[in-house]
């Protein structure tokens, strides 16, 4: 029973971190209508930034979180208009062209990281690394608790921003119908750039946390891309609220399969779950997707 509870706790905590970057992924899809294959690359770059700041400046890895948001948010802001132009071009199949663009961006990021840093694996050192708290029979890693708290804070902030501000209203209106939003005076091009920058910044911040909990190397980016895709489809494409539920479910499934069956079967169990959910509810587990 203790092992069951410990596994459940670990799954929920890591699911909370996965939720952080998948919520941003959903937001970007809702506005740009593009599945961004580069999401794993942003996660890994955030982890590398945390490692090199800690190693080079001798500071705590957590200090890299706001830097990651500003730096990669600015880069995302510059990439956003390019993605918008491709997605809204008059070429045949612009959605496929945009998909190919994000895949190319992911390949470029992965190749650049391999060239610069090789296959070496690094972890982001923080003051909470290796620290844990005993709660009855359970051992709670403090770094995972901090990451889960961060995820809840980011998710809450995004929901407040989307549902309590005029700019959030413009984002939701654009996600619903961009033509009507444009007629109401929304600058779709600028809004798309802002949303992609926000998404890239949040994803890189989550990458710092993932690097502190696990480790980073260029090869793990594809795994994070698969996680984001799984959560997005399971939640229902474009459903920001469903992403939180789906990410927690993903974390629990992976934790139980890794503990009781074997970590090599994790992806098999995850995609079997995805297949079953799509058969029963194609619009996602909350039925709010596109």
């Amino acid at each position: 029973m203790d092992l069951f509870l410990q596994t459940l706790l670990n799954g929920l905590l890591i699911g909370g971190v996965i939720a952080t970057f998948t919520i941003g992924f959903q937001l970007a899809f809702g506005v740009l209508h593009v599945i961004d294959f580069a999401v794993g690359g942003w996660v890994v770059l955030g982890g590398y930034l945390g490692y090199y700041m800690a190693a080079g400046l001798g500071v705590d890895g957590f200090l890299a979180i706001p830097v990651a948001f500003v730096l990669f948010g600015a880069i995302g802001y510059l990439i956003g208009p390019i993605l918008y132009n491709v997605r809204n071009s008059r070429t045949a199949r612009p959605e496929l062209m945009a998909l190919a663009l994000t895949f190319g961006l992911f390949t470029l990021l992965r190749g650049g990281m391999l060239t610069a840093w090789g296959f070496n694996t690094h972890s982001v050192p923080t003051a909470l690394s290796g620290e844990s708290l005993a709660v009855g029979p359970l051992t709670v890693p403090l770094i995972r608790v901090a990451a889960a708290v961060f995820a809840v804070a980011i998710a809450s902030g995004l929901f407040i921003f989307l549902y309590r501000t005029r700019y959030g209203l413009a984002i939701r209106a654009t996600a619903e119908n961009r033509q009507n939003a444009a007629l109401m005076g929304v600058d779709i091009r600028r809004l798309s750039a802002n949303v992609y920058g926000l998404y890239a910044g949040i994803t890189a911040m989550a990458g710092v946390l993932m690097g502190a909990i696990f480790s980073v190397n260029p090869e793990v980016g594809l795994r994070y891309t698969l996680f984001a895709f799984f959560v997005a489809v399971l939640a229902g494409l474009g459903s920001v609220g469903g992403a939180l539920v789906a990410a927690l479910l993903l974390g629990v499934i992976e934790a139980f399969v890794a503990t009781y069956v074997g970590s090599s079967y994790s992806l098999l169990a995850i995609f079997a779950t995805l297949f079953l959910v799509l058969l029963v509810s194609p619009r996602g587990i909350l039925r709010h997707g596109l």
Side-chain angles (χ1 to χ4, degrees):
M1 190 60 183
D2 291 349
L3 179 60
F4 178 87
L5 292 175
Q6 183 69 59
T7 305
L8 178 62
L9 176 64
N10 289 341
L12 290 174
L13 290 177
I14 197 61
V17 184
I18 294 173
T20 308
F21 62 84
T22 52
I23 287 174
F25 181 84
Q26 289 284 67
L27 185 65
F29 175 82
V31 173
L32 292 164
H33 293 181
V34 174
I35 294 175
D36 186 13
F37 277 104
V39 57
W42 297 121
V43 174
V44 175
L45 282 173
Y48 270 114
L49 176 68
Y51 167 74
Y52 280 107
M53 277 192 63
L57 303 178
V59 298
D60 192 281
F62 281 143
L63 293 179
I65 290 176
V67 178
F69 180 76
V70 174
L71 176 62
F72 293 106
I75 295 173
Y77 179 81
L78 296 177
I79 294 176
I82 301 173
L83 195 55
Y84 172 83
N85 288 339
V86 173
R87 180 63 182 84
N88 294 279
S89 65
R90 297 188 177 183
T91 58
R93 300 283 187 179
E95 66 278 7
L96 292 181
M97 296 297 290
L99 197 65
L101 175 64
T102 64
F103 183 76
L105 178 59
F106 173 73
T107 304
L108 178 65
L109 293 177
R110 177 178 173 275
M113 288 186 284
L114 281 172
T115 302
W117 303 308
F119 290 93
N120 295 329
T121 298
H122 300 291
S123 294
V124 180
T126 72
L128 299 180
S129 299
E131 300 292 330
S132 61
L133 180 66
V135 181
L138 304 181
T139 300
V140 184
L142 292 183
I143 183 66
R144 295 196 181 202
V145 174
V149 170
F150 171 82
V152 171
I154 289 294
S156 302
L158 269 180
F159 278 109
I160 293 172
F161 173 66
L162 289 175
Y163 290 93
R164 292 290 183 270
T165 67
R166 290 182 60 84
Y167 203 75
L169 177 63
I171 291 175
R172 289 189 288 121
T174 304
E176 287 287 331
N177 190 309
R178 65 176 58 196
Q179 284 76 24
N180 287 346
L183 291 174
M184 296 298 291
V186 177
D187 186 339
I188 306 298
R189 181 185 172 87
R190 177 174 293 179
L191 183 138
S192 299
N194 289 336
V195 167
Y196 196 83
L198 179 65
Y199 147 72
I202 290 175
T203 304
M205 287 197 297
V208 177
L209 295 172
M210 297 301 278
I213 296 174
F214 301 108
S215 57
V216 292
N217 69 64
E219 293 299 306
V220 299
L222 179 60
R223 188 178 183 86
Y224 292 136
T225 295
L226 289 175
F227 282 174
F229 180 74
F230 168 86
V231 171
V233 176
L234 189 63
L237 286 172
S239 172
V240 175
L244 181 60
V245 179
L248 293 176
L249 179 60
L250 168 64
V252 170
I253 291 174
E254 190 189 30
F256 273 98
V257 172
T259 302
Y260 289 100
V261 182
S263 58
S264 58
Y265 294 94
S266 295
L267 287 179
L268 176 63
I270 287 170
F271 282 97
T273 304
L274 178 62
F275 179 72
L276 291 175
V277 170
L278 286 177
L279 282 179
V280 177
S281 178
R283 294 185 62 196
I285 51 179
L286 298 184
R287 300 178 185 272
H288 290 166
L290 298 177

